[in-house]
Amino acid sequence: MSGLLAVAVTALGGGADDAVAQWVEEPGKGWIALAAYHQDTRERFGIDGDTRVFFAEGHAVTTSSFLTAALGLVPGFDMWSQFSFHRLRYDDVAGTRSSTGFGDARFWLRAAPLKWLGSAVPFAVRAGFKVPIGDFDVDAEVIPLGDGQRDWEVMAEAGHSFWPRTLYLSGWVGYRWREENPESGKDFGNEVFYFAQAGGRFGRWGWKVAVDGWD
């Protein structure tokens, strides 16, 4: 089992209702979020989850951005999409390789079944898929920008707001079916994944603690 713990502190504007629990978007309403990540490392994870130094003085630098959007379709249903753009570089004693371009794209449809029964419990079911963008070249001198195969996944989501306190809890657990890469013949294997977060605000400052993992 692998996991990642993240802690974030941000300066926020707006009212205290920014901290309410996540819910399915109303028809015609939605949001767009842009996230950017940067990693500079000389280590990698081994097959058992331990960290190992890259062979031949390897050095990997990754800069990625993810554009995520959600839009309410009809009462109780919304749609999500996510597009990625990457700049990858790897250096070792043999030289430098780099790739820049769009990565895999993801799409989901989310429903709130309890809302149809008149319940205010924030529970939703989301199903979606990942599609590879661009070519996947099996070449030691080319760094692929994606996995080169499709994923299918379904997850259950829940959340809770402690309003009027600016505290909230939310998260999901799901299962992902991963197809084999037809170019490399690599089978990533299916996996269970989860995400949980807690957050709140102190005046203009917001905080969030999140745990992300898979098995």
Side-chain angles (χ1 to χ4, degrees):
M1 178 177 290
S2 300
L4 176 66
L5 172 65
V7 179
V9 178
T10 56
L12 302 172
D17 57 350
D18 293 336
V20 298
Q22 185 179 12
W23 190 238
V24 172
E25 302 298 325
E26 296 296 329
K29 296 184 178 181
W31 50 265
I32 297 176
L34 177 64
Y37 302 88
H38 181 77
Q39 182 185 45
D40 189 317
T41 182
R42 296 181 182 275
E43 296 180 328
R44 63 180 178 86
F45 285 105
I47 191 171
D48 297 321
D50 56 327
T51 57
R52 302 178 182 180
V53 176
F54 280 124
F55 179 73
E57 301 179 12
H59 176 210
V61 181
T62 301
T63 302
S64 298
S65 59
F66 297 87
L67 181 66
T68 306
L71 177 66
L73 301 177
V74 296
F77 280 93
D78 64 12
M79 179 179 67
W80 290 39
S81 61
Q82 184 182 77
F83 299 91
S84 60
F85 191 85
H86 309 285
R87 186 181 188 281
L88 312 178
R89 194 187 81 220
Y90 186 79
D91 308 317
D92 60 15
V93 295
T96 298
R97 281 84 77 195
S98 64
S99 294
T100 301
F102 289 99
D104 298 338
R106 296 179 180 272
F107 303 92
W108 299 271
L109 183 65
R110 189 170 63 155
L114 297 184
K115 190 174 183 179
W116 307 331
L117 303 177
S119 173
V121 175
F123 174 79
V125 177
R126 181 161 32 140
F129 59 94
K130 181 197 74 176
V131 293
I133 302 296
D135 298 326
F136 186 94
D137 298 316
V138 182
D139 189 328
E141 298 301 316
V142 176
I143 304 176
L145 296 170
D147 295 328
Q149 45 74 242
R150 288 184 295 269
D151 289 348
W152 307 85
E153 62 189 35
V154 62
M155 66 191 83
E157 304 181 28
H160 181 72
S161 171
F162 295 92
W163 181 258
R165 298 181 179 88
T166 58
L167 299 173
Y168 68 92
L169 295 171
S170 65
W172 58 69
V173 61
Y175 191 81
R176 180 176 293 125
W177 294 267
R178 311 199 70 188
E179 296 184 8
E180 181 180 286
N181 183 316
E183 298 294 332
S184 67
K186 183 176 182 180
D187 187 352
F188 293 91
N190 301 334
E191 59 189 13
V192 175
F193 60 94
Y194 62 88
F195 175 80
Q197 65 177 352
R201 295 184 63 174
F202 296 106
R204 290 184 55 83
W205 290 94
W207 62 271
K208 178 170 68 174
V209 178
V211 178
D212 191 9
W214 60 93
D215 187 6

